[in-house]
Amino acid sequence: MSDYETVLRADAMLTPAGVVADAELAFDGSGRITYAGSARPDAASASDRVVHELAGQVLMPGLVNGHTHSAMTLLRGVSDDEGFMPWLAAVQALEQHLTHDDVAVGLQLAMVEMIETGTTAFADMYHWDAELIELVRTAGMRALVALASFAPDAVGFPGVSPWNGADATEQTEALAAQYSRDAQVRIAYGPHAPYTCPPEFLSDIARRAVAHGIPIHTHISESAAEVAQIEERYGATPAAHLDALGLFEAEVLAAHCVHLTEDEIALLARTGTAVSHNPVSNLKLGNGIAPLPEWQTAGLRISLGTDSVASNNTLDLFEEIKMGTILHRGARQDAAIVRASDVLDIATRRGAEAIGFPETGALEAGRLADVIALDITGSAAIPFEPAALVSHLGFSATGGDVRHVFIGGRHVYAEGEHLTLDADAIRLRAAEARARLSAAARTD
């Protein structure tokens, strides 16, 4: 253990054991939590402790974004009022003009937004290479990064990289070896979806994933049109089709899963497949409502995601937490069918487990200190009682309430200031990149 501790004292704290009032969290120099409980009288006087007195704030685990495409921040607001397939065509048309610099600044802008709204880890699918991964490590975040691919000979991002699907597969394996011992980064294959990837390509990735122990991140049953297309092509539902190709013999994170059948839910539960619930994106694109209550009953491994800002349009997971709770209550006319405490757990501990960072996601001794502090002095928090902390976090809090972010004990955000990213410069570069993309699109 390192020879000093950092101590956070706050009005209340969310822990696996329940809400703690007059709370204290301590972690050592390695970023591992040493204490989580009621404030200790002697903590402030000890010479080997750095104490942060956070009066008017509460502590909770850092949020985990279970599915996004971070570099697509540059495409925010594209095709806002079209359905899934027209929206996808509009987005992909703009993506043909992306450069590597665009992807880098789009990623950095996403991390600025995620950090300042309380997200400490994310699962991503897009173009990835060592240079982009190092941006994540420098920012201090954790990420499961999947290299998007479509077919062996298909170049996904021609202005960014010459890699086709076969190249992306090889690069995935090289990066997985390079970052095999990294605490911040995991590497995954990223076959986009069963309707964009040919069966033989998916089978090859499945075999490789099992052989190398590398996870797979993909989209499944996002829209009804996709399901109909797969059934017409292959005579099976999407998950059944992927199962026949051997995909679920590997570790899989499946995004959306809006239109799973009962048999498919049972299949994913049986194979230990993780799913990502993306309620705002699913609604915005008119794709439907994923059956979260049935997922919970079946015992699925679940995370909560925003999807990209091109289909959301923010990376604020507090919006997903509230929507993910009340959406199913309204749709099923049952106010008890989904609880805020369950969705908060999905957005933290269960999400961290689903994307492969099981030592994070909860504030208890022994875990890594991925922790955020939220202000509770604003109008939407008054009156505040510690016993109602879950209610506040589930229904009232927003990303704008976040005041501090620590990841693995590293202080990355403090009272509106980014400590690892030049947020102003990134926002300026992102705006310039979007202007160039829009101008290029107008000449098509």
Side-chain angles (χ1 to χ4, degrees):
M1 180 183 293
S2 300
D3 59 0
Y4 73 94
E5 283 187 323
T6 298
V7 175
L8 311 180
R9 286 180 152 184
D11 292 13
M13 176 170 61
L14 185 64
T15 77
V19 175
V20 177
D22 188 19
E24 180 178 314
L25 183 80
F27 46 87
D28 63 23
S30 71
R32 201 165 290 276
I33 297 172
T34 56
Y35 178 79
S38 298
R40 299 168 293 181
D42 62 340
S45 60
S47 60
D48 59 349
R49 291 177 182 147
V50 176
V51 180
H52 297 265
E53 297 286 356
L54 305 178
Q57 298 182 40
V58 296
L59 304 177
M60 69 173 291
L63 301 176
V64 177
N65 192 333
H67 174 69
T68 190
H69 310 278
S70 53
M72 291 176 72
T73 48
L74 298 188
L75 308 182
R76 197 188 312 262
V78 171
S79 189
D80 275 332
D81 298 313
E82 292 189 277
F84 180 59
M85 291 302 179
W87 167 86
L88 187 61
V91 165
Q92 289 178 336
L94 271 178
E95 286 179 321
Q96 301 310 299
H97 299 286
L98 287 172
T99 67
H100 193 278
D101 285 345
D102 293 333
V103 172
V105 73
L107 165 63
Q108 289 180 303
L109 179 62
M111 290 192 292
V112 166
E113 185 177 353
M114 284 191 281
I115 288 172
E116 65 192 19
T117 56
T119 292
T120 55
F122 62 105
D124 195 273
M125 180 199 292
Y126 216 65
H127 173 81
W128 284 95
D129 54 33
E131 181 180 337
L132 296 169
I133 289 169
E134 288 305 310
L135 294 178
V136 175
R137 297 183 73 253
T138 298
M141 296 192 75
R142 303 187 198 278
L144 170 67
V145 303
L147 282 68
S149 57
F150 301 88
D153 58 350
V155 178
F157 306 96
V160 178
S161 165
W163 295 351
N164 58 24
D167 297 326
T169 301
E170 296 292 338
Q171 291 295 329
T172 297
E173 291 159 12
L175 289 169
Q178 181 177 346
Y179 291 96
S180 63
R181 298 182 182 277
D182 198 283
Q184 289 178 235
V185 176
R186 299 185 74 216
I187 309 298
Y189 298 100
H192 175 261
Y195 67 93
T196 53
C197 296
E200 60 275 11
F201 182 55
L202 291 166
S203 289
D204 181 55
I205 287 177
R207 287 191 296 269
R208 289 168 176 264
V210 172
H212 298 297
I214 298 173
I216 297 169
H217 185 179
T218 190
H219 301 83
I220 299 178
S221 297
E222 184 173 359
S223 70
E226 170 196 340
V227 174
Q229 189 178 96
I230 296 299
E231 289 181 323
E232 182 178 354
R233 282 185 193 174
Y234 306 115
T237 57
H241 169 61
L242 294 175
D243 185 43
L245 299 175
L247 209 77
F248 300 125
E249 294 176 21
E251 177 189 346
V252 175
L253 173 62
H256 299 290
C257 299
V258 177
H259 298 282
L260 296 180
T261 66
E262 290 183 10
D263 287 345
E264 288 179 305
I265 292 172
L267 166 66
L268 298 191
R270 186 170 65 252
T271 56
T273 298
V275 298
S276 178
H277 187 30
N278 301 262
V280 173
S281 176
N282 294 340
L283 290 173
K284 182 170 183 280
L285 292 175
N287 281 333
I289 300 172
L292 177 63
E294 283 73 20
W295 293 358
Q296 291 180 289
T297 299
L300 283 183
R301 300 170 61 221
I302 308 171
S303 66
L304 190 68
T306 59
D307 205 1
S308 77
V309 300
S311 65
N312 187 301
N313 297 30
T314 80
L315 295 169
D316 186 349
L317 271 171
F318 282 101
E319 184 179 45
E320 305 290 338
I321 291 168
K322 182 173 183 177
M323 181 64 74
T325 304
I326 64 176
L327 170 64
H328 307 282
R329 296 181 179 199
R332 309 294 181 90
Q333 299 182 52
D334 181 354
I337 198 165
V338 175
R339 299 180 301 175
S341 58
D342 291 334
V343 180
L344 285 166
D345 196 38
I346 289 169
T348 53
R349 181 186 63 85
R350 294 173 66 184
E353 292 173 354
I355 73 168
F357 296 103
E359 290 192 284
T360 69
L363 302 185
E364 60 184 353
R367 291 188 184 252
L368 293 172
D370 291 10
V371 55
I372 62 177
L374 285 80
D375 180 79
I376 51 166
T377 64
S379 300
I382 305 299
F384 177 79
E385 297 177 351
L389 179 59
V390 168
S391 173
H392 174 71
L393 296 176
F395 300 113
S396 299
T398 72
D401 298 330
V402 174
R403 295 294 177 267
H404 293 273
V405 177
F406 295 82
I407 306 176
R410 181 184 183 187
H411 206 175
V412 301
Y413 185 71
E415 296 292 352
E417 179 184 359
H418 287 269
L419 306 180
T420 60
L421 292 164
D422 187 342
D424 289 339
I426 289 167
R427 293 184 188 108
L428 178 61
R429 287 173 52 216
E432 292 171 345
R434 172 58 180 270
R436 184 188 57 76
L437 285 173
S438 297
R442 286 194 294 270
T443 65
D444 286 348

